[in-house]
Every structure is written in structure tokens, then in C-alpha cells.
Amino acid sequence: MTDKREITLTVNGTERTVEAEPRKLLVHAIREDLDLTGTHIGCDTGNCGACTVLKDGEPIKSCLTFAVQADGSEIMTVEGMEDLPEASGELHPLQEGFREEHGLQCGYCTPGMIMSGKALLDENPDPEEGEIREAISGNLCRCTGYQNIVKSIEYAADELNKEPAAADGGTVTAEQRFADDDFDCGVENCCGGPSTETPHVEGADPQFDDVGGDDT
Amino acid sequence: MGAESESGSGVQSVDPDDVDAADILGSAIERREDPALLTGDAEYTDDIELPGMVHMTIKRSRHAHARIENIDTSEAEAMDGVIEVFTAADIEAPGNLPTGWLLDSLEQVDHPILAEDRVRYQGDALAVVVAEERYIAHDATDRIDVDYDRLGAVTEPSEALADDAPAVHDDASGNVAFDWDIGDAEKTDAAFDDADHVVDLDLENQLLIPNAMEPRAAVAEYNPSNDELAVHMTSQNPHLHRLLMSGVIDHPEHKLQVRAPDVGGGFGSKIHHYADEALVALAAKRHERPVKWTATRTETYLTDAQGRGHDTHAEMALSDDGDILGFRVDTAANLGAYLSTFAPAVPTYLYGTLLSGQYDIPAIYCSVTGAFTNVPPVDAYRGAGRPEASFVVERMIHRAAKEVGMDPAEFRRRNFVEEFPYQTQVAVEYDSGDYEKTLDRALDLLDYDELRERQEAARAEGKYVGVGLSAYIEACGLAPSELAGELGAQAGLWESGLVRFHPSGKVTAYCGTSGHGQGHDTTYAQIVANELGVDYEDVEVVEGDTDEIPQGMGTYGSRSAAVGGSALVKSSQKLVEKAKRIAAHQLEAAPEDIEFENGDFHVAGAPDRSMHIAEIATQAYLAHDMPDDMEPGLEATSFYDPDNFVFPFGLHAAVVEVDPDTGEIDIERYVAVDDVGNQINPKIVEGQIHGGVAQGIGQALYEGAEYDDNGQLVTGSMQDYTVPKAEHIPSMETDSTCTPSPVNPLGVKGVGEAGTIAAPQAVVNAVCDALDVDQIGMPMKAERVWRAANAATDGGEH
């Protein structure tokens, strides 16, 4: 029961090793071994989504995953959001959206909401309200009534769809941007361009190339 | 401040840098607490790691009612990594959790922090494990072996009061915790004698589980060299927790620090003093090491104080013309197994006093019996008594309008209170209001007449559309102390605020409330910046720590802005007065000739002779040139104790379509028009309404604690108890009117609970309206609705 195994995770672009019992939950490894306490625990049953992180680009509930199951994977938590290229070192448009639209109150569900929001926008850059509600249906919030969370994600979608500036100085619409099938923003599982079909290159994480992350 | 909001799709946030200083109060500025919460930098209790910290778990009763025959901890104690296992037998004089509100007839019962010989609800604490690691502590807890002698259990209040019910406490005869009444029974009987019509309903307000997203937790650290004990915990009221805990564990109050770091929601569940945090503190003292306990969600389902739990029979006396003549209410209230911190107040003074609703009712009588049952203690949950009252009133109004053949909107209008202040027949006096205004605004938004036509047309096509109205009132700003004392409170309900200028002219404001998602750091800074005329960014707000804030009563009952905010106003005004005298002295003018505007003091008629308040702060600390007999420094503390409650109100409306074949309910529209007085930050007000309404819709449609015959919680996880998801809650249309309260200097009324109070009966009334039935119980799950719909079409009873 207590035999520990060494596992390696690439967390927010940085390779980290953790000694973990096979039964240790990924969320405990993230919070207690990696000291990334932005990922929260809100239930025992996988219902609340406060522990949502991205594993190889997919949203997962880290309280339903053993740490050893994540060995070798890329994990992204809320702490990594500001390091994404579209955040340019400040709040990511999703985080900005939550602030602008008052999409949070106590903040406990917020990191999980943001990760589910990111997973949605990576796949569907211009979601309808119903699609947003569906995408966050695995994340419970007791404070906001969800309305402003939906608006926060819509805000982020609008902001992300504005960038980058078009050659004429105007903004590029989502339609223009994705009209070109070959469009590649360089971020895995992002922008509707390189999708989950894109071959995953072990060890390479283009999301963090421009922020000088320590990969060792 | 005070402008009424534009109707429509919501309030737009603004950057504080884009707001003129003079307009900071009332601006929908972005919250300053958000960046930390958005980036993972926030610190919740379970995030705290201290050197040498150990973990604590609690062994809880698996049965709802049983004698404890034996607790065998030997196997758990023998495990590697287990430091100690202790039970009630191992600690000297295990403390009892006190009740902070006493009623004349109250049967006080012991509530030990560890059960000694009997458990009274599933989840009652039996033993404590302290271990080096979290997982080991949980393993050891599972290895504690308890022998029980099971007893019969009872979970419903009306059943608990029946003759043959099992006795929850041997001392509480018939499981009666108290009998309480309010109003004039004789006058009310007379009104019923004269009535043309009498309507009645049996109404259940089901037990709810709060489900704050952050489970309760505590981390305690003890320093034996100076006897100082610090407890970091999920608290809505650190000072209150300190006071209660100091008694429970017999540790001097002045050597006990209670600190609430970031707190992930409360909704009342983090007001009360639970055994758990006292046990963490005891464990830290026993082992002289930091100890952490974090509830699992299962534990929060079993042990968080639950809310509501009323069985009510209500009758209303009416005239042919549609006047309400009298109102009689009889309620059995579930108190659970023990009396929680404020439990006796909730189904009495926070309930019976609100039974006049928005209406001029000439005779009211309400009697309440509090019942002990084998469920967790029942106490304040968002709204606390006021949702129960509003539910009874508004369900009865809906029924009464139908009885006299009036449109429910017009029936309400006919009976509204029109003159303020208004003395109700149930003790309280309403401060201000304009009930027709919120009704009319809501009817406009709904396009009510068109909606009624559409409803009729839909019915002709076999579609069941319904409109439900809820004209709610609540009493907020829990205070004043003298009145609370007369009613049985064992605490004052003032609030304290300290405002301190620093020598550089920056300001720190300390308030005894303790926010946990409400955005106090932002709104209090808006208040103080406005009063002092300093930049919003120059005001820091501190809450939630007994070591930093002189005194406090905490955040609940929608009291923070009305009472805490007002305390900060009072302190700021004291600073301005002192600063004015310093300015007069240094500008060589008489104090009465000094005018204060936007932070500047200037001599009347000579605007060039001026000093900014920040400059005066520097002078006050230099103290080189002060008026005679004036002490240096520029800070002030106030204990603000208002003269009355404040009474927010509004009109919420739900439009539903019900499928009678499946029992499914679709909320097509939800319109909320609220009057919370002046608004400090309209965006935050909107957020509070949204969240409150979502909880209210949750109660109407989905939520409810259910127990089996043995008192086992059937809805004991998020898998089984439906906390509404994004797809369950409709987009809400919010709007507001503004009737400032005359009670407090800000003219605010409170908003934290409004939505939760208003929403359930709006939705139930809408479904009853759609199906043309008198009654459907909550939560209105599909089966219930289907049965009601079919009974209605069969012409049978519902």
C-alpha cells in the first residue's frame, strides 16, 4: 500500500517528478507534492469539477485519477494560464473574462471552471450559450447562478477571436481565421486548428516555448 | 449612488481607474479580490501547509440514533504513522457546544463535542485520529470499531412531535425544543369568524443541505511557550468563533486567534461553531504540533448544519372584495439532533416576524413548535427563516387570489402596504418601501397582459404555461443589539469598523464582518474612499482575523453592508471631523469655517487655502503642530448598532411551461426586480441576486435532504443531491428600483439572501398556475408534477 513510485509529469510546461503511492489521487499530488493549490477539491464523487485540470489537453477530474495514471502526461492547471501566449504574462482572456463579467464570487470553483472553459474554447472557439452550459455541466458553482460564468467564457471567446490583428490593422474574425484549414496557431488542441488528431510530440510543449519555462 | 438600474441584459463592469473619485460609490467596478482567485494564488484553509503539520480525521456514527456500547481504537492506534486516537473518555471535561439564542420555553440539551454514550444523528462525532499523513488518518479511522445498540429514529418534525415518536433527548419531553408564538390569537380568530372566504394549505419547506463549494476545514497551531493558539478556519465570523471556542475548549479568548483565510462560500453553514474545529484546536494543544482537518464532501453532507425543514398549516381569511382579513400559521420546525449556534432564532424571530409579507394584514397569529429529530442540527441557511416565511405568505397569496377570483398581481396590489414606516402585526416595523413600483416594473418586463393572453391560447393548444409571482420581503442587517437581546440573543449584533490613516496618507479599513465571496474588499474600499475623498486604490481592507480586527460579529443575514459598511462610514466621519480641526488649526481658521469636499479641506470663500486629508494624516503623525489638547494620530473605531432592521423587497416572476405527460418543467423566463436600497456596486448586487435565485430554483425543482426510516441520509453526496448545474438554471432578467433605507447612513438594505428568499414560491406558483392546481410539494421533481397534473385532469385531490 505504501510503496511509492516515481512518476514524471510535465506540469504547466515544466517537467516535475513526484513520489507517490499507487493510490494517491492526482489532485493530492498536484496540491500537496507540487504545491499548486489553485486546483481544489470540492467533493468525493467526481461531481463538482473543482479539481478539473487538463491532461494532454483534455479536461479531467483530478480527484478521479490516480497520480500514477498521469505518469508521462502533460498537465495544465490554472497556475499555467498566465504563461500561455495569449495571456502575454498577464491574465489570460478567460481569467480576464471572469473578472470583467463577475463570473466568480467565492472563487473556489473558478480554477476548474477556467480549465473547462479553456478545453471548450480550444475545441470550439465560438460556442453558443447552450454549448457553454453543456461544457461546464461537470463544474458546480454555488455562488453565481452560472449566468455570468457563461458571459465570462463568451467574453474570452470574443477576445481570443480578435487576436491576432489583421494585416490591415483590423481584427481577424473567427470565420476568417478558421476559413483556412491549414491555420495553425502553434498551440496544441487550440483554436480549432491543430486538434486532438495532431500527433502529440513527447516532451515538446509549444505552449510554453516563449516564456522560457524550465524544462528540466 | 442610488440610481436605478437599466433593465436588460446585465450590469457592465468598469475599471476603477475610469471612475471619477466622486462617483466611486455606486460604480460597478471590477472586484479587487479577483486576481488572486483567478490565478490560484488564493489561500483557502486546506491550502495551508505548516512545518511539522499532522492530519486529523473524525470517526462518525454510522447510525442516526444508537447507544454506544464500545469504541475499540486499538487497531487504529497500532498503525504506523498514527499519533493518537482519542474519544470522549480520553479527554478531560469534553466541552459542550453552546446555543447562542435562547427562548423562554427553550429546552436546552447537552451537545458534547464527542459523543459520550449516545449518538443522535448519522455523522455525530465519536473519535478523533491524529496521524502523520492524510491517507493514514483516513485508514485508521476506518479501523476504529464501534459497537452500537440501535434506537428508533425520527427525521420529520411533525412525526417527532407525535405521541409514539422515539425520544431524541431523554430530557426533552415529546421532542419539543420550544413552543413559541407571535401575533394576536384572539384578534385573528375574530377575523376568521368574519371572513367571507377561508383558504388553507399544508406546506412543507424541505430540509436543504447548504453545499458551499469549499468543504469546512480548520488548521490549528499551538505555541506552548506563550499558550497562544491560532485556528485558521472556514468561518463567516471569526470573532464569534473565537468567543464560542474559547468557552468550549477552555482556552482564554485573548490567547486564541481565529483567522478566516479565503473562504469558498458559506451560505450560513460556516456561521456555526461545530465540534470539528474545537477538536482540531484540542488536538493541536495535545500534541503541540499544527493539525489540519478538512471535511470530505461526505462529511459536509452528514454534518453541515442544514436549513429550512418546516411543516406548516396556513390559513388565510378573506373578504369577497379581495381584502386579506387575517392570517394564521402553525409550524413544526425541524431543529435536528442538537441546538446549533443560532438555531432557535431561525424558525421564530427570523420567520414569524416576516409573515405580513408586503401586505397590510390586520390580524396575524403564528405558532411554532421546534422539534428535535435525528438529523444534523438545523440552523441558518441562506435566508434563514425569511425564505420559509415568504414561501408561506406567497403560496397563500396565490391560493387566495384564485379563491376570490382575482388576478394574482392585482390581488397583491390591492393588499400592499402603502405607507411607511409600517408597523406589522408581528412586531417588526418596515423602514421604507414602494411595492407597487417593483410589481409594475416586473409586469412591464414580463409584458404581463400579453403573457396571460398567450397562456390562454397555449392552453387551448394543450400547452401548460404558467406565471408565478413572488412579492417578497426580508429583514436584513441583523441588529439592533438591544432588540436582539430582548428576543433572546446571547450576543450583540452591532458591527465594528476601524479606519486608519497611515502617515503617508494611505488608508487601511478593518471590519468585523468576514466576507467569503461577497466582494467586501471592493465595496468597503468604495465606501471608505468616498467618505474620505481619497483614491480608491489608496484604501486597503482587512477582514477575517481576530488578531488584526479589534472586534466583530461577522457576515450573515445580509448584514455586512448595512451594519459593517455603516461602521466604516461612522469611523470615516470621525476621521474627517478630527482632520477638519487639524486643518483649521494649520490654516489658521475656525473649524466651522472649514469646508470638506472630495478630500480637500479649505477655508470657506478661500479655496486656495486648502489641505488634502492625506496631507493632514502626515501632519497628525508628525504631531509638530496640533491643536491644543488633541492627541496625535488619525484613526477611529466605531461600534455601529442600528436602530432597526432594514427591509429589502422585490417582485420575482417565473414563466414556466409544464409537460403534463412527463412532469418536466421548463422555466422560460425568470424576471427579478429587486429593491435593495442604494447599491454600492451594482455588479456585485446583480451577482448576489443571480446566485440567490439559483439556490431558490434549486430548492423549488431539485434539492432536498432525504432520510430513510432509520435516519440514514439517502441524498448523501453530489451524486444523489442535486446541486443545480449550468443547464438547470435559466438566464435571469434582473432589474432594480431604489428606495433608500432611512435606517443607516448608506441607505442600503442588503442583498445577499434576496434571490433565495424570492425564488422558490415564484416557481411553485408558476407550476400551480400552469396546471391549475392548488399545491405541489418541493422539490417539484417530474413524478410529483406528473401526479399533480394527472390528479388535476382527473379532477381529484392534489
Side-chain angles (χ1 to χ4, degrees), chain A residues 69-83:
Chain A
Q69 290 176 288
D71 191 13
S73 65
E74 287 175 18
I75 300 293
M76 182 168 176
T77 71
V78 71
E79 287 90 346
M81 293 293 288
E82 287 166 285
D83 294 336

Side-chain angles (χ1 to χ4, degrees), chain A residues 23 25 28 31-32 42 44 47 95 99-100 102 105-108 129 133 137 142-144 146-147 151, chain B residues 9 13 30-31 38 44 46-47 134-135 139 210 297-298 683 687 691 703 719 724 726-727 729 732:
Chain A
R23 64 171 177 166
L25 298 176
H28 285 139
R31 287 177 52 78
E32 293 170 6
D44 322 326
N47 293 86
Q95 294 166 311
R99 187 173 193 204
E100 183 71 22
H102 191 26
Q105 291 179 27
C106 82
Y108 200 75
E129 177 184 336
R133 288 187 183 264
S137 65
R142 195 61 158 165
C143 293
T144 64
Y146 301 104
Q147 191 156 329
K151 284 188 179 177
Chain B
S9 59
S13 294
E30 296 162 354
R31 302 198 319 169
L38 287 164
Y44 297 91
D46 189 59
D47 299 342
R134 186 196 294 268
Y135 282 44
D139 287 345
R297 180 57 64 183
T298 303
K683 192 70 192 171
E703 299 183 38
Q719 199 89 306
E727 292 165 300
I729 301 298
M732 298 159 245

Side-chain angles (χ1 to χ4, degrees), chain B residues 211-236:
Chain B
N211 276 298
M213 291 310 302
E214 179 203 22
R216 288 187 296 109
V219 174
E221 46 182 331
Y222 178 64
N223 184 342
S225 61
N226 57 17
D227 199 31
E228 285 184 0
L229 176 64
V231 183
H232 315 270
M233 61 179 278
T234 50
S235 174
Q236 295 179 221

